[in-house]
Amino acid sequence: MNKIMEKIQMSERERENAEIAYQTAAAGMVLLENNGVLPLKEKGKIALFGTGAVRTVRGGTGSGDPFNGGLSGGGNVFVDQSPRYHIHILDAFEEGGYEVVTSADLKLLAEEYDRRKRQLENQVMHTFVFPEPLLKEEDVASAAKQSDTVIYVISRNSGEGTDRKLKGGSNDCPKGCEIGDYLLAVQEKENLLLLRRYFKYLIIVLNVGGVIDMCEIKNARPDSILLMGLAGQEGGRAVRDILNAAIVPSGKLTDTWAARYQDYPASATFADNDGNSELEKYREGIFVGYRYFDSFHKEPIYEFGYGKSYTEFSIEIKDFKEEKNIFRIECEVTNTGCYPGAEVLQLYVSACNTDIDMPAQELKAFVKTRIMEPGEKQSVRLKTTLKELEIYDEDSGSYVVKKGIYLFLAGNSSRNTQPAGKVIIDEDLLTRKADAILPLPGKLEEYHHKNCINSEDFYPELPEIKAGRCFLAPKETDAACEKQAVITYTTDPDYQGMLPYEKTEFVSPKKVVWQDVLEGKASFEELAAQMTDEELAALNCGTGWGVSDENNPVIGENSESVPGAAGETTHILTEKYGIPSVVLVDGPGGVRVRQEYEAFNLLTGKKEKRNHYCTAWPSGTLLAQSFDPKILELAGKAIAKEMKEVGAHILLAPGMNIHRDPLCGRNFEYYSEDPLVSGIMAAAFASGIQNSGFGVGACIKHFAANNQETNRSCVDEWIGQRTLREIYLRGFEIAVRDSQPLAIMTSYNLINGIPTADSYDLCTALARGEWKFNGLIMTDWNGGSSSASKSMYAGNDLIMPGGNTKVREILLAVKQMEPVFDDKGQILFSKVYEQLPFYEEYWNSFHLKADGKERCTAVLGEGHRASVEGERILVDNAPVYTEVTDRYEFLRASVKPAPIKSPLTIHMAELGKEGKEIIYYGEYDRRQTICRGDLQRCAVHILKTLQRMVCLNSERDG
């Protein structure tokens, strides 16, 4: 156990989870290079250089940072220096008994780092960057006289809202400083060459969240390179123990590391690389990551699935066989080296001689061995099914295993495999019907590649299996995307459906509460039928940013606030129906809430100091590099315990978008360039949370193709049907199939012209229709370009963070609503966000128009009177305003305009009853775009998810 931890007061849960964070961090670290310098001795003199050695980056920024205080802010900018955590490499080495000969200089560097970072207090979404200093030759020479071994730490950070660049820079840095990002800064290049010149042994630790350029690093001829990643609160301790073999490295890369950035297929157009951040065309199609590099013969620096160990392994293929359309490769793995270690076996399939484009190979399975002692052997079985060979055939609108020759390969990386056997498919095999979703709005030219071979001399020595003869294709069912009728459940026998797709079902009027549903005395639909439109809309929306008692937290009487939570569902149905509120918290890096706060104790009537010290976990990419679903499940169970402790119900994680391009600012949150890895890891993490017995759940996100942060709310991503299904949706499908997460969060972006939250195809036809998802679907916060009413029809059940604005938007789509005026006869203006000068007007269904044929009357309150002065209508001699300033106009303006504008004139209204009324001209919009049944359907999804949470909690109590 960390000695520093023993000096401060920590709960047992904190200690237990810190130990798990340490284990999971170490499991995903990848040894990229080693010429025998590693492992280090357990103690001795060592030289450390690099800002990352003394201010190690534990994780990315934004919602993926559990220590920034959450949406309420309040995170201590120096939280990483807390003795509760063991983040920094320097501290870890000194605690472990090493004499760090550069310690004094590093601590001086830390002081300057902290001085600059101090300016960022409460800037939740900001990514702090610090220019790497140029090393002084006399300091390097002095250190080299004391130790022959140096560790140079290269650190990077990124986060939500901004993509990475080839080279960085920000207002935090002095003018003229070069900031490394994908590429090294000039200071880093010179530092490496200087260290190489003076030290016998040069070890590089990459404290980075994603791919960086390796060419200039390798130019310095380092002896060893360790990809530490963003390793969470115990990262310093974990990297020390990997370097000295207290824990053996066994991670593998979940991405391809290219020789240069331009080798990535999307690099020319990614984000605003081409000057266009409005439209992103996925021309590379299915050829993402290793699928591209292997198919088009691009030589990477490090291939997908690559990673070294301190030992060596041999892999012998013993058998290849098929039974009931399940293919198995039996392997024997032997530790042939001198250290303990674990190996990851990977199964790839290459589809040849098909009549459709195919990548050179695709990952179909992986298995991690146990830790094996030198000389130890382990039998490993890799398996996949005939169905897993399917591709999406756009011509037939179905998934098909194509006629062709399938080569099965096994190995320990995508480019270090050996053939195991061949499978011959004599005819196309239909596996399932699946109509097209989200069709392209225009032409998209995609990359093409086929694996063509001469079948006669194609590995004639390999065992050959003819498969598919007994394969039973499913019956052709109703099209997945056919718009289904929506049922409105009504207690009014005279109610008539208003829209073509609306059907009605009468429900006897009776009092139904939540407990009746839980006890099986009433159905979800019966409960929803009793609710008013206003109650349904409130249930389908969050209460706004944060939680309702964010600034006035309470404890006691079975109540405890969760300051810093991302949001919650409504409280207004608790008293009448007994429906509880649900608290949602970020996120991918751990439970993100305020760590310390004062709360009012309802029992004692006094204020008390409270704390929620939650764990900062390794990033998603680092966890996935373990290639061990058990690691993800272990982390999920530990996080569930923290959720229960702080009073949170749904974790807004895991993030599982595909690493399409290494410059995506949130890649650190996500798992891989490969959908199989992403899906399996997400399912394991969600299962860990939901099988914990604490009655809490996971929300997989961002559904789908949230692959860039630049213009993330408005970018339209054109993706071909096959690419969308096989690459960007496949991981979500696996996660739903294998874990049934409580929730899915849609993304900000548009896909093929449609905001994802407004897509019936995604939310209903695909997730619920094809995949049989049975949880709730929510928007990301503010929903990007989506609209709340369209989201209701699409089946996006919960609008987050919601608030009165979204409730009103939904109601306006269901029925006509009268405008709301204040006591001066002016349209009511209400703030959208308390902290921002943005307002909304409550004209509702009435549209103010000078030539309007309809009238709407505002009655002035006692003591107020309207008058006319010239063309202007005044109340109490003051103007009456009619509209708000558009928020985007407000933000763009150098001189900020007034938040409300457009004084009322006699062209838009007249006075009545001697100035006691203002009669407005205009027209009512009586169009109904969604029905009450849409609201009920979404409400039922939310209620069923609440019931699942009760059942998950009951399993533990039982």
Side-chain angles (χ1 to χ4, degrees):
M1 174 59 65
N2 182 349
K3 294 178 182 177
I4 293 178
M5 289 183 178
E6 296 171 0
K7 298 176 184 178
I8 60 175
Q9 195 171 17
M10 296 181 68
S11 69
E12 186 61 30
R13 188 271 304 159
E14 284 183 83
R15 292 174 180 271
E16 290 175 355
N17 282 8
E19 193 61 27
I20 296 171
Y22 162 74
Q23 295 171 16
T24 55
M29 293 183 183
V30 182
L31 184 63
L32 297 175
E33 302 286 352
N34 189 31
N35 64 8
V37 170
L38 296 178
L40 299 172
K41 296 178 181 177
E42 291 186 1
K43 292 184 180 180
K45 290 185 177 182
I46 195 82
L48 274 175
F49 286 99
T51 305
V54 67
R55 288 294 178 258
T56 310
V57 180
R58 63 170 158 76
T61 59
S63 61
D65 178 4
F67 285 174
N68 65 18
L71 287 175
S72 61
N76 189 328
V77 74
F78 299 122
V79 67
D80 287 1
Q81 277 71 270
S82 168
R84 310 185 87 83
Y85 313 120
H86 206 237
I87 296 165
H88 306 298
I89 295 172
L90 171 63
D91 296 339
F93 269 83
E94 291 189 327
E95 182 201 338
Y98 287 88
E99 181 183 346
V100 180
V101 300
T102 53
S103 177
D105 289 340
L106 285 173
K107 289 174 181 177
L108 286 174
L109 177 61
E111 290 179 10
E112 176 62 15
Y113 182 100
D114 294 344
R115 184 187 69 79
R116 295 189 189 177
K117 193 173 183 183
R118 190 174 291 113
Q119 302 167 11
L120 297 182
E121 194 79 42
N122 290 332
Q123 295 188 35
V124 173
M125 299 295 288
H126 190 89
T127 301
F128 175 70
V129 293
F130 184 81
E132 190 65 31
L134 192 63
L135 296 179
K136 296 178 181 177
E137 187 165 1
E138 58 266 31
D139 293 339
V140 172
S142 174
K145 290 177 182 178
Q146 301 173 70
S147 173
D148 61 359
T149 303
V150 63
I151 299 173
Y152 186 64
V153 182
I154 296 174
S155 59
R156 296 287 187 268
N157 203 359
S158 65
E160 184 174 0
T162 307
D163 286 315
R164 297 173 59 198
K165 302 293 182 184
L166 291 181
K167 286 192 178 177
S170 88
N171 294 331
D172 308 328
C173 306
K175 289 184 178 179
C177 278
E178 188 167 272
I179 305 295
D181 196 342
Y182 184 87
L183 299 174
L184 296 187
V186 64
Q187 309 95 281
E188 292 172 316
K189 290 185 277 187
E190 292 184 21
N191 289 346
L192 283 171
L193 295 175
L194 183 63
L195 294 171
R196 177 72 286 176
R197 198 160 75 240
Y198 274 91
F199 285 89
K200 183 177 180 180
Y201 303 119
L202 171 60
I203 300 165
I204 295 175
V205 171
L206 301 178
N207 174 213
V208 299
V211 179
I212 66 171
D213 181 78
M214 295 299 298
C215 290
E216 287 168 334
I217 291 176
K218 297 190 82 170
N219 283 345
R221 297 175 290 105
D223 297 283
S224 298
I225 304 175
L226 178 70
L227 174 58
M228 171 193 183
L230 304 182
Q233 71 174 57
E234 300 302 309
R237 190 159 63 108
V239 77
R240 177 201 67 201
D241 289 351
I242 285 284
L243 291 173
N244 66 20
I247 298 180
V248 291
S250 61
K252 301 282 186 177
L253 295 178
T254 58
D255 292 317
T256 303
W257 286 48
R260 58 188 194 124
Y261 173 66
Q262 291 75 14
D263 287 346
Y264 290 102
S267 59
T269 62
F270 176 76
D272 56 3
N273 286 354
D274 58 352
N276 180 3
S277 61
E278 302 293 324
L279 177 63
E280 186 76 10
K281 293 186 176 182
Y282 285 42
R283 294 186 177 92
E284 70 277 8
I286 60 172
F287 300 101
V288 178
Y290 70 89
R291 288 169 169 81
Y292 170 77
F293 282 82
D294 294 348
S295 300
F296 294 92
H297 309 294
K298 290 282 186 181
E299 193 67 31
I301 290 281
Y302 301 117
E303 71 267 23
F304 175 88
Y306 168 85
K308 286 179 172 287
S309 176
Y310 292 147
T311 190
E312 298 290 335
F313 296 94
S314 67
I315 300 172
E316 183 181 356
I317 296 174
K318 293 289 190 179
D319 195 15
F320 175 65
K321 57 188 176 183
E322 176 267 345
E323 183 179 357
K324 297 181 178 179
N325 293 319
I326 299 174
F327 305 105
R328 296 181 176 88
I329 301 177
E330 306 290 345
C331 301
E332 184 176 80
V333 184
T334 305
N335 182 343
T336 59
C338 301
Y339 287 92
E343 182 61 287
V344 176
L345 272 71
Q346 302 160 40
L347 167 60
Y348 295 86
V349 175
S350 177
C352 305
N353 290 359
T354 61
D355 62 0
I356 196 169
D357 288 325
M358 295 295 291
Q361 58 180 0
E362 293 183 289
L363 182 72
K364 294 300 180 183
F366 56 87
V367 174
K368 192 166 192 173
T369 70
R370 62 178 179 268
I371 298 293
M372 301 166 61
E373 295 297 323
E376 187 177 355
K377 299 178 184 293
Q378 181 179 341
S379 295
V380 175
R381 173 179 291 170
L382 292 164
K383 65 179 181 179
T384 191
T385 66
L386 180 63
K387 186 176 181 299
E388 294 300 317
L389 305 183
E390 67 184 9
I391 58 93
Y392 185 75
D393 182 22
E394 297 184 32
D395 291 337
S396 64
S398 58
Y399 284 89
V400 175
V401 179
K402 299 297 290 185
K403 174 184 176 181
I405 302 172
Y406 292 77
L407 178 66
F408 283 63
L409 306 107
N412 62 3
S413 79
S414 61
R415 294 203 171 196
N416 187 30
T417 59
Q418 50 185 308
K422 296 182 294 186
V423 172
I424 310 300
I425 306 294
D426 288 331
E427 59 182 346
D428 288 356
L429 304 172
L430 173 69
T431 60
R432 49 181 167 143
K433 290 290 293 180
D435 285 354
I437 59 169
L438 288 167
L440 278 165
K443 190 173 183 180
L444 178 65
E445 291 291 342
E446 294 181 308
Y447 291 9
H448 298 285
H449 173 271
K450 293 179 181 177
N451 301 313
C452 299
I453 51 94
N454 185 334
S455 58
E456 293 182 0
D457 57 7
F458 185 62
Y459 293 105
E461 75 282 2
L462 289 180
E464 183 176 292
I465 296 171
K466 290 189 179 292
R469 296 177 182 276
C470 299
F471 188 80
L472 297 177
K475 295 180 180 178
E476 292 195 18
T477 56
D478 293 338
C481 293
E482 183 180 341
K483 300 294 189 287
Q484 299 175 3
V486 171
I487 300 174
T488 294
Y489 298 91
T490 178
T491 58
D492 179 4
D494 297 325
Y495 178 87
Q496 297 293 320
M498 300 296 292
L499 295 174
Y501 65 87
E502 181 184 13
K503 297 184 180 298
T504 61
E505 187 171 314
F506 177 71
V507 174
S508 298
K510 61 179 179 179
K511 183 178 180 181
V512 178
V513 295
W514 176 235
Q515 192 61 35
D516 295 329
V517 175
L518 292 179
E519 294 175 0
K521 297 176 182 177
S523 68
F524 294 99
E525 291 76 15
E526 287 175 310
L527 176 56
Q530 315 304 315
M531 296 183 189
T532 65
D533 293 339
E534 288 73 16
E535 289 169 338
L536 288 167
L539 178 57
N540 295 340
C541 285
T543 59
W545 291 87
V547 291
S548 58
D549 52 6
E550 184 78 44
N551 299 313
N552 298 286
V554 298
I555 57 174
E557 295 185 356
N558 296 318
S559 299
E560 179 153 357
S561 303
V562 194
E568 64 181 342
T569 59
T570 186
H571 292 264
I572 69 170
L573 305 180
T574 303
E575 184 175 348
K576 183 177 179 180
Y577 297 105
I579 298 173
S581 174
V582 175
V583 175
L584 303 99
V585 292
D586 289 315
V591 177
R592 187 170 80 111
V593 294
R594 201 187 304 174
Q595 288 191 323
E596 298 174 347
Y597 60 96
E598 276 196 342
F600 181 78
N601 191 316
L602 298 172
L603 296 175
T604 66
K606 297 180 180 178
K607 283 194 171 183
E608 296 180 9
K609 287 188 176 181
R610 302 290 285 186
N611 62 67
H612 287 157
Y613 293 123
C614 296
T615 309
W617 296 90
S619 69
T621 303
L622 184 60
L623 290 172
Q625 286 172 181
S626 69
F627 270 78
D628 188 352
K630 293 177 183 177
I631 287 291
L632 280 291
E633 189 171 357
L634 183 65
K637 287 182 178 179
I639 288 173
K641 195 171 187 178
E642 295 182 2
M643 293 171 65
K644 183 70 173 180
E645 183 179 300
V646 305
H649 304 109
I650 295 179
L651 184 76
L652 304 176
M656 51 178 304
N657 294 103
I658 293 296
H659 293 174
R660 175 181 180 239
D661 187 275
L663 296 190
C664 175
R666 295 182 82 171
N667 273 356
F668 69 94
E669 293 184 26
Y670 309 145
Y671 294 128
S672 176
E673 68 187 25
D674 182 75
L676 180 71
V677 172
S678 299
I680 289 175
M681 296 307 178
F685 186 79
S687 295
I689 292 173
Q690 296 181 179
N691 295 338
S692 64
F694 290 114
V696 296
C699 173
I700 61 175
K701 64 181 188 180
H702 306 90
F703 187 55
N706 188 86
N707 303 314
Q708 69 178 60
E709 291 299 290
T710 302
N711 195 30
R712 62 179 179 167
S713 292
C714 302
V715 62
D716 185 8
E717 301 182 316
W718 284 22
I719 310 175
Q721 187 68 197
R722 183 182 174 195
T723 301
L724 184 61
R725 285 178 171 275
E726 293 185 21
I727 303 296
Y728 298 103
L729 295 174
R730 178 62 174 148
F732 287 96
E733 180 181 10
I734 293 169
V736 168
R737 179 193 69 197
D738 292 353
S739 70
Q740 274 295 341
L742 284 188
I744 295 174
M745 180 193 289
T746 49
S747 54
Y748 285 131
N749 55 282
L750 295 79
I751 297 178
N752 297 337
I754 307 295
T756 60
D758 292 347
S759 173
Y760 184 99
D761 284 2
L762 273 183
C763 299
T764 298
L766 188 73
R768 299 192 188 280
E770 287 188 35
W771 300 349
K772 311 305 178 188
F773 174 66
N774 61 17
L776 71 87
I777 299 177
M778 71 178 77
T779 65
D780 201 343
W781 267 229
N782 275 345
S785 299
S786 66
S787 63
S789 58
K790 291 180 180 178
S791 296
M792 288 290 98
Y793 173 75
N796 194 315
D797 313 301
L798 181 59
I799 309 300
M800 292 302 297
N804 292 332
T805 301
K806 299 298 184 181
V807 169
R808 191 163 63 91
E809 183 183 334
I810 291 170
L811 290 173
L812 284 169
V814 175
K815 62 185 181 182
Q816 180 180 318
M817 295 175 64
E818 293 293 331
V820 181
F821 300 98
D822 64 18
D823 59 354
K824 294 183 178 181
Q826 177 176 268
I827 196 66
L828 182 66
F829 295 108
S830 175
K831 258 194 170 185
V832 179
Y833 308 116
E834 188 57 38
Q835 64 272 37
L836 296 173
F838 301 147
Y839 289 79
E840 60 182 342
E841 66 230 12
Y842 276 66
W843 286 110
N844 293 334
S845 300
F846 188 77
H847 293 270
L848 189 66
K849 295 177 65 176
D851 60 349
K853 305 301 182 185
E854 298 183 274
R855 301 292 184 263
C856 179
T857 301
V859 179
L860 276 64
E862 191 69 31
H864 301 291
R865 187 171 297 277
S867 60
V868 176
E869 185 177 291
E871 293 190 340
R872 300 174 72 184
I873 293 177
L874 308 178
V875 172
D876 303 338
N877 296 317
V880 175
Y881 294 97
T882 61
E883 64 177 319
V884 300
T885 300
D886 178 79
R887 70 185 65 177
Y888 298 106
E889 176 188 338
F890 184 91
L891 291 171
R892 285 192 297 265
S894 55
V895 178
K896 298 305 180 190
I900 56 176
K901 62 181 182 179
S902 302
L904 183 64
T905 71
I906 56 174
H907 302 294
M908 308 294 287
E910 62 188 61
L911 304 187
K913 293 188 177 180
E914 298 180 344
K916 293 299 291 182
E917 292 180 348
I918 300 176
I919 303 168
Y920 290 90
Y921 308 157
E923 293 179 354
Y924 281 95
D925 183 353
R926 294 180 171 83
R927 291 173 301 171
Q928 181 181 348
T929 56
I930 61 174
C931 68
R932 180 172 160 81
D934 289 310
L935 275 61
Q936 291 177 335
R937 178 185 58 172
C938 292
V940 166
H941 292 155
I942 294 170
L943 294 171
K944 286 184 175 180
T945 303
L946 284 173
Q947 184 198 43
R948 281 184 64 195
M949 292 169 60
V950 172
C951 294
L952 290 171
N953 195 45
S954 299
E955 289 173 10
R956 184 178 184 87
D957 295 341

